[in-house]
């Protein structure tokens, strides 16, 4: 067991649940072992390698083979390290990555899903997470061992997953984890400061994975496909945990293979006859931009394509659905959803057969924190159209005042709070942030309710459905009115087609005394920052934002392509943009020629 963690702030590990209620408890390894016993010859895990062949080479393991490899590596870990030690997984996207994570669960180790040390730009982030997790071992593959050894300074053992002898499987202890035992640390992709590792217990893992299975209609007969990185919460659940729990066959490909040729993902959905897959906004936008027609694609098997962006853009949903209708894509297949690492992965989603909900809101009322649905979208008012993320799955969601923790009345915007068996136990070795976010008290008309997670997301509930407006920290307050950064960014994208898709950042900087925030907009242009004056960037952005949101940007900057900072999951780091802007007074990337003259 770990020697540094307890939920909340204690310094001792949580006790394993040995109560009678836990007698029927089946951790994920026990479920997977059962699949191997009862239908071991069925395919379980495939990886389509586009590195060797642009068309893709398949590697497939059966349930018996996955179980055998996981037990063998688990036995090796048990022989080398005390139970509860952290084990960092640094494999590239592959079947080895999945086996490594599963082996940690089998052995009672705490997996730390990370990415391989291939990109120098991520080395600092990777080193910070490793320093925080303090792993006893690094798991990788043979070709990457040297890089991992260098990263660990030669002090941490590095093991190649594929070199583990299968015969070791017979030495596995048969460890059966209790619900309260930590299963893995899911590090959030925050921008600065100390990394936050959400402690996902075995109870959280099973509860959340069952929520995904139930919410997305999965079974052992529903194939799954994914390109999402396995170190990300959504990628890990779709690509490993949910398929292994449901007994479904999952086919993986690498994120790079998708980025290089988005058609590969859609082709995989057809070849694999996939029922379930997903991605963020940019993935659907990229498909529309880079795939000129749907010829040769077959998406008729797809029932759930989850979109877990914050927030989901309605235009993205519409464009993708329309673009690939000719390939047999069902009009209700693309489904907005909501989740976060601190809730393991999923909070709410649209069920199979249900189309997403769109609401046209009065933008002025929304800026004041109220929900006013417009019956006529053509009326002369600023309109904000939002997509619903479906109903909560196996948990409760409320809207609270972020300052007081008092539940907000219906029709009000506030912070989304979540309570359920999927909510993580806290942050690894961080009692302060754990106390601030986890096990909070929600004040209701009936008194105080314990066990709530503060999500940091603004939103509201309508007819039982969750609507997400954006992060509280990204809210821009000008002249007393609240504006979501994502809404302003969407307006700029529409007004400036010369911008790089998904590469617009809006953020607030302090104004003068009594002035409140000042709005700054940064745009990556396809033709480069030198083209900003030629296309009248400043004038167009200011006019569009003023018309739709009633506020004029204080500053509009053009920057070179690829310069906006992002998280490992591809989301913009607006906080980093703001910090860099304030630090140099020019642009987020520090260039001196990217600012359009006023």
């Amino acid at each position: 067991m770990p020697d540094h963690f307890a939920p909340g702030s204690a310094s001792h590990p949580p006790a394993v649940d040995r109560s009678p209620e836990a007698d029927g408890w089946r951790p994920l390894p026990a479920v997977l072992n059962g699949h191997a016993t009862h239908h071991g010859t069925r395919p379980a895990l495939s990886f389509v390698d586009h590195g060797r062949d642009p068309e893709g080479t398949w590697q497939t393991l059966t349930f018996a083979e996955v179980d055998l490899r996981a037990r063998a590596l688990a036995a090796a870990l048990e022989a080398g390290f005390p139970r509860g030690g952290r084990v960092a997984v640094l494999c590239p996207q592959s079947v080895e990555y999945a086996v490594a994570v599963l082996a940690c669960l089998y052995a009672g180790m705490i997996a730390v899903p990370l990415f391989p040390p291939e990109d120098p730009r991520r080395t600092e982030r990777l080193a910070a997470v490793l320093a925080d997790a303090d792993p006893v071992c690094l798991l990788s593959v043979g070709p990457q061992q040297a890089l991992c050894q260098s990263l660990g300074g030669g002090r941490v053992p590095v093991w190649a997953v594929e070199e583990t002898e299968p015969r070791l499987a017979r030495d596995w202890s048969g460890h059966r984890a209790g619900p309260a035992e930590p299963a893995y640390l899911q590090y959030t992709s925050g921008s600065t400061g100390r990394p936050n590792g959400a402690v996902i217990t075995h109870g959280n893992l099973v509860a959340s994975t069952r929520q995904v299975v139930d919410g997305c209609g999965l079974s052992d007969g529903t194939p799954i496909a994914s390109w999402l990185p396995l170190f990300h919460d959504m990628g890990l659940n779709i690509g490993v945990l949910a398929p292994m729990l449901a007994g479904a066959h999952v086919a993986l490909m690498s994120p790079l293979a998708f980025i290089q040729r988005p058609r590969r993902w859609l082709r995989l959905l057809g070849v694999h006859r996939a029922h379930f897959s997903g991605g963020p906004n940019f993935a659907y936008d990229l498909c529309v931009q880079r795939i000129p027609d749907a010829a040769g694609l077959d998406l008729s098997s797809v029932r759930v394509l989850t979109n877990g962006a914050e927030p989901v853009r309605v235009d993205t949903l519409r464009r993708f659905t329309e673009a690939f209708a000719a390939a047999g894509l069902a009009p209700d297949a693309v489904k907005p959803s909501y989740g976060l690492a601190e809730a393991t992965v999923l909070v709410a989603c649209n069920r199979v057969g249900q189309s997403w909900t769109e609401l046209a809101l009065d933008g002025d009322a929304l800026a004041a924190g109220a929900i006013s649905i417009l019956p006529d979208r053509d009326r002369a008012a600023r309109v904000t159209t939002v997509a619903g993320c479906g109903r909560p799955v196996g948990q409760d969601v409320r809207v609270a005042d972020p300052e007081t923790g008092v539940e907000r009345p219906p029709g009000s915007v506030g912070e989304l709070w979540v309570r359920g068996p999927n909510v993580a136990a806290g942050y690894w070795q961080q009692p302060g942030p754990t106390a601030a976010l986890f096990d909070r008290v929600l004040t209701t008309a009936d008194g105080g309710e314990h066990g709530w997670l503060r999500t940091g997301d603004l939103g509201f509930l309508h007819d039982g459905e969750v609507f997400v407006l954006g992060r509280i920290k990204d809210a821009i307050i000008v002249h007393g009115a609240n504006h979501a950064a994502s809404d302003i960014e969407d307006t700029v994208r529409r007004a400036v087609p010369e911008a790089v898709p998904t590469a617009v950042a809006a953020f607030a900087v302090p104004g003068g005394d009594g002035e409140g925030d000042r709005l700054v907009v940064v745009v990556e242009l396809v033709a480069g920052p030198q083209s900003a004056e030629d296309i009248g960037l400043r004038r167009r952005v200011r006019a569009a934002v003023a018309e739709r949101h009633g506020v004029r940007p204080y500053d509009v900057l053009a920057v070179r392509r690829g310069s906006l900072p992002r998280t490992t999951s591809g989301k913009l780091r607006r906080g980093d943009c703001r910090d860099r802007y304030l630090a140099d007074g020019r642009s987020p990337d520090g260039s001196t020629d990217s600012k359009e003259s006023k």
Side-chain angles (χ1 to χ4, degrees):
M1 292 294 294
D3 53 0
H4 296 85
F5 171 77
S9 60
S11 59
H12 300 289
V16 176
D17 189 350
R18 302 300 186 192
S19 63
E21 291 78 13
D23 288 346
W25 164 250
R26 295 187 73 206
L28 181 58
V31 176
L32 177 53
N33 188 253
H35 294 325
T37 300
H38 299 296
H39 41 79
T41 59
R42 283 175 36 189
L45 176 65
S46 294
F47 179 71
V48 186
D49 187 353
H50 295 89
R52 301 176 183 177
D53 181 350
E55 297 303 311
T57 302
W58 285 64
Q59 176 190 4
T60 299
L61 301 179
T62 65
F63 279 101
E65 290 170 331
V66 171
D67 176 68
L68 178 71
R69 293 193 183 192
R71 285 188 289 116
L73 182 54
L77 291 172
E78 288 176 327
F81 308 103
R83 182 160 292 148
R86 276 74 59 207
V87 176
V89 180
L90 301 169
C91 302
Q93 193 97 338
S94 58
V95 296
E96 285 76 23
Y97 199 114
V99 167
V101 172
L102 293 170
C104 293
L105 304 181
Y106 273 67
M109 304 296 177
I110 304 175
V112 186
L114 297 172
F115 44 89
E118 300 170 319
D119 188 345
R121 294 171 297 180
R122 295 183 176 185
T123 301
E124 183 178 351
R125 168 71 181 173
L126 194 55
V129 171
L130 290 175
D132 188 72
D134 190 23
V136 297
C137 175
L138 309 182
L139 295 180
S140 186
V141 294
Q144 304 240 342
Q145 276 186 294
L147 281 174
C148 291
Q149 287 170 346
S150 176
L151 183 67
R155 298 182 299 274
V156 184
V158 180
W159 290 9
V161 175
E162 76 278 19
E163 296 176 5
T164 306
E165 289 287 342
R167 59 181 175 79
L168 293 176
R170 63 174 180 262
D171 298 328
W172 175 53
S173 68
H175 174 67
R176 189 181 180 90
E181 286 188 44
Y184 62 96
L185 305 183
Q186 184 66 65
Y187 277 88
T188 59
S189 52
S191 56
T192 59
R194 179 176 177 177
N196 293 324
V199 181
I200 309 300
T201 67
H202 280 269
N204 296 148
L205 184 161
V206 171
S208 180
T209 304
R210 290 201 179 280
Q211 289 164 356
V212 172
V213 169
D214 294 343
C216 299
L218 303 183
S219 71
D220 59 5
T222 51
I224 299 168
S226 179
W227 60 267
L228 295 170
L230 295 178
F231 60 81
H232 188 265
D233 55 355
M234 188 174 171
L236 181 63
N237 207 291
I238 291 179
V240 180
L241 304 180
M244 296 304 103
L245 185 80
H249 181 193
V250 60
L252 303 173
M253 60 182 286
S254 81
L256 180 59
F258 164 70
I259 296 294
Q260 290 173 336
R261 298 184 187 178
R263 180 180 282 269
R264 289 168 169 165
W265 175 39
L266 303 191
R267 189 170 65 232
L268 176 61
L269 294 177
V271 171
H272 193 51
R273 304 304 297 159
H275 168 103
F276 176 46
S277 191
N281 267 325
F282 90 84
Y284 298 99
D285 289 334
L286 192 63
C287 286
V288 173
Q289 295 151 12
R290 299 270 297 276
I291 304 175
D293 61 73
L297 296 173
D298 181 3
L299 303 179
S300 59
S301 66
V302 179
R303 290 295 171 265
V304 177
L305 285 178
T306 184
N307 183 330
E310 299 169 0
V312 175
R313 294 197 299 273
V314 171
D315 284 351
T316 294
L317 303 174
R318 294 174 182 166
R319 284 194 298 264
F320 185 88
T321 300
E322 293 169 1
F324 298 103
L329 182 68
D332 58 8
V334 183
K335 299 186 181 300
S337 63
Y338 171 57
L340 64 161
E342 289 81 358
T344 306
V345 62
L346 181 67
V347 172
C349 70
N350 287 275
R351 307 311 200 266
V352 176
Q354 294 179 335
S355 297
W356 71 82
T357 302
E358 292 183 21
L359 295 180
L361 305 179
D362 185 317
D364 293 326
L366 187 61
I371 300 302
S372 177
I373 300 174
L374 302 177
D376 182 1
R377 298 190 183 196
D378 295 327
R379 58 177 286 183
R382 282 193 285 272
V383 178
T384 297
T385 303
V386 295
C389 293
R391 294 175 181 272
V393 185
Q395 58 203 287
D396 194 7
V397 178
R398 304 282 183 87
V399 178
D401 184 313
E403 300 296 330
T404 65
V406 175
E407 185 175 10
R408 285 271 174 91
S412 300
V413 174
E415 183 179 15
L416 298 174
W417 285 29
V418 175
R419 183 170 67 174
N422 52 303
V423 173
Y427 288 134
W428 178 255
Q429 297 190 106
Q430 294 201 56
T434 293
L437 296 181
F438 296 85
D439 197 21
R440 298 304 303 253
V441 176
L442 177 70
T443 303
T444 69
D446 298 325
E449 300 178 355
H450 289 268
W452 292 89
L453 166 70
R454 295 190 57 176
T455 68
D457 291 314
L458 280 175
F460 64 94
L461 299 175
H462 177 72
D463 287 343
E465 192 168 356
V466 178
F467 290 79
V468 184
L469 300 175
R471 299 288 292 166
I472 290 177
K473 66 181 182 181
D474 292 331
I476 299 167
I477 304 174
V478 180
H479 303 308
N482 285 272
H483 303 275
S486 57
D487 283 348
I488 293 173
E489 292 162 358
D490 189 48
T491 296
V492 175
R493 288 188 197 95
R494 297 181 186 183
V496 187
E498 299 90 343
V500 175
T502 72
V504 177
F507 53 89
V509 297
D513 292 341
E515 183 182 354
D517 290 343
R518 289 172 171 173
L519 171 62
V520 176
V521 176
V522 184
V523 183
E524 290 184 9
L525 294 175
V526 173
Q530 69 279 356
S531 66
E533 189 171 352
D534 294 338
I535 66 172
L537 178 68
R538 174 178 293 275
R539 173 183 53 79
R540 290 163 63 188
V541 169
R542 282 187 160 179
V545 174
E547 179 180 1
R548 187 176 179 192
H549 304 280
V551 58
R552 290 177 61 83
Y554 166 77
D555 207 355
V556 179
L557 305 174
V559 297
R560 66 178 181 268
R561 190 167 189 165
S563 62
L564 290 179
R566 296 178 181 273
T567 68
T568 54
S569 58
K571 297 177 183 177
L572 286 172
R573 289 177 167 171
R574 298 185 184 95
D576 278 5
C577 291
R578 178 176 56 249
D579 293 344
R580 296 182 189 184
Y581 177 89
L582 294 173
D584 61 31
R586 293 185 178 90
S587 72
D589 67 339
S591 61
T592 58
D593 60 349
S594 63
K595 183 174 179 180
E596 183 185 4
S597 57
K598 294 185 179 180

